[in-house]
Short mmCIF file of all heavy atoms in Angstrom, two decimals:
data_model
loop_
_atom_site.label_atom_id
_atom_site.label_comp_id
_atom_site.label_asym_id
_atom_site.label_seq_id
_atom_site.Cartn_x
_atom_site.Cartn_y
_atom_site.Cartn_z
N TYR A 112 -35.95 -37.39 51.87
CA TYR A 112 -37.22 -37.91 51.34
C TYR A 112 -38.37 -37.53 52.32
O TYR A 112 -39.46 -37.03 51.88
CB TYR A 112 -37.21 -39.37 51.19
CG TYR A 112 -38.53 -40.00 50.87
CD1 TYR A 112 -38.91 -40.09 49.41
CD2 TYR A 112 -39.45 -40.59 51.82
CE1 TYR A 112 -40.16 -40.68 49.21
CE2 TYR A 112 -40.58 -41.10 51.44
CZ TYR A 112 -40.96 -41.16 50.25
OH TYR A 112 -42.14 -41.70 49.94
N LEU A 113 -38.06 -37.61 53.56
CA LEU A 113 -39.08 -37.29 54.58
C LEU A 113 -39.41 -35.69 54.64
O LEU A 113 -40.52 -35.36 54.79
CB LEU A 113 -38.62 -37.73 56.04
CG LEU A 113 -38.57 -39.20 56.29
CD1 LEU A 113 -38.06 -39.51 57.64
CD2 LEU A 113 -39.95 -39.87 56.02
N LYS A 114 -38.37 -34.90 54.53
CA LYS A 114 -38.55 -33.49 54.33
C LYS A 114 -39.39 -33.24 53.15
O LYS A 114 -40.47 -32.43 53.27
CB LYS A 114 -37.21 -32.85 54.23
CG LYS A 114 -36.33 -32.85 55.49
CD LYS A 114 -34.91 -32.18 55.10
CE LYS A 114 -34.02 -32.37 56.29
NZ LYS A 114 -32.76 -31.63 55.95
N SER A 115 -39.10 -33.76 52.03
CA SER A 115 -39.95 -33.59 50.71
C SER A 115 -41.31 -34.05 50.99
O SER A 115 -42.34 -33.27 50.61
CB SER A 115 -39.26 -34.26 49.64
OG SER A 115 -38.00 -33.78 49.30
N LEU A 116 -41.46 -35.19 51.61
CA LEU A 116 -42.85 -35.64 51.97
C LEU A 116 -43.62 -34.70 52.83
O LEU A 116 -44.75 -34.44 52.57
CB LEU A 116 -42.78 -37.06 52.52
CG LEU A 116 -44.17 -37.74 52.98
CD1 LEU A 116 -44.98 -37.88 51.62
CD2 LEU A 116 -43.89 -39.00 53.58
N GLY A 117 -43.02 -34.14 53.78
CA GLY A 117 -43.71 -33.25 54.74
C GLY A 117 -44.12 -31.97 53.96
O GLY A 117 -45.27 -31.50 54.19
N ILE A 118 -43.24 -31.41 53.02
CA ILE A 118 -43.66 -30.29 52.24
C ILE A 118 -44.84 -30.67 51.36
O ILE A 118 -45.74 -29.88 51.20
CB ILE A 118 -42.44 -29.70 51.45
CG1 ILE A 118 -41.40 -29.24 52.42
CG2 ILE A 118 -42.98 -28.72 50.55
CD1 ILE A 118 -40.17 -28.99 51.76
N GLU A 119 -44.76 -31.92 50.69
CA GLU A 119 -45.80 -32.29 49.89
C GLU A 119 -47.06 -32.36 50.58
O GLU A 119 -48.16 -32.04 49.99
CB GLU A 119 -45.39 -33.57 49.12
CG GLU A 119 -46.42 -34.21 48.19
CD GLU A 119 -45.92 -35.48 47.65
OE1 GLU A 119 -44.80 -35.93 47.94
OE2 GLU A 119 -46.84 -36.12 47.00
N LEU A 120 -47.12 -32.98 51.87
CA LEU A 120 -48.35 -33.16 52.55
C LEU A 120 -48.93 -31.77 52.90
O LEU A 120 -50.18 -31.62 52.78
CB LEU A 120 -48.10 -33.91 53.89
CG LEU A 120 -47.81 -35.48 53.66
CD1 LEU A 120 -47.24 -36.07 54.95
CD2 LEU A 120 -48.99 -36.16 53.15
N ALA A 121 -48.18 -30.88 53.31
CA ALA A 121 -48.63 -29.60 53.71
C ALA A 121 -49.25 -28.85 52.48
O ALA A 121 -50.41 -28.32 52.63
CB ALA A 121 -47.51 -28.72 54.28
N LEU A 122 -48.57 -28.88 51.42
CA LEU A 122 -49.05 -28.20 50.20
C LEU A 122 -50.29 -28.86 49.60
O LEU A 122 -51.28 -28.14 49.28
CB LEU A 122 -47.96 -28.18 49.10
CG LEU A 122 -46.80 -27.31 49.44
CD1 LEU A 122 -45.71 -27.44 48.29
CD2 LEU A 122 -47.02 -25.89 49.50
N ALA A 123 -50.35 -30.14 49.63
CA ALA A 123 -51.55 -30.88 49.19
C ALA A 123 -52.71 -30.62 50.01
O ALA A 123 -53.91 -30.31 49.46
CB ALA A 123 -51.25 -32.39 49.01
N ALA A 124 -52.60 -30.58 51.26
CA ALA A 124 -53.71 -30.34 52.21
C ALA A 124 -54.22 -28.98 52.02
O ALA A 124 -55.52 -28.83 51.86
CB ALA A 124 -53.16 -30.47 53.66
N VAL A 125 -53.39 -28.01 51.93
CA VAL A 125 -53.89 -26.64 51.76
C VAL A 125 -54.63 -26.43 50.33
O VAL A 125 -55.64 -25.89 50.22
CB VAL A 125 -52.67 -25.65 51.83
CG1 VAL A 125 -53.24 -24.18 51.47
CG2 VAL A 125 -52.20 -25.62 53.31
N PHE A 126 -53.90 -26.99 49.35
CA PHE A 126 -54.38 -26.77 47.92
C PHE A 126 -55.73 -27.50 47.78
O PHE A 126 -56.68 -26.87 47.15
CB PHE A 126 -53.32 -27.27 46.86
CG PHE A 126 -53.90 -27.05 45.49
CD1 PHE A 126 -53.87 -25.85 44.95
CD2 PHE A 126 -54.17 -28.12 44.69
CE1 PHE A 126 -54.32 -25.63 43.65
CE2 PHE A 126 -54.67 -28.01 43.45
CZ PHE A 126 -54.71 -26.67 42.78
#
Side-chain angles (χ1 to χ4, degrees):
Y112 174 85
L113 291 178
K114 292 177 184 177
S115 298
L116 178 59
I118 294 171
E119 181 182 352
L120 288 170
L122 293 176
V125 173
F126 181 71

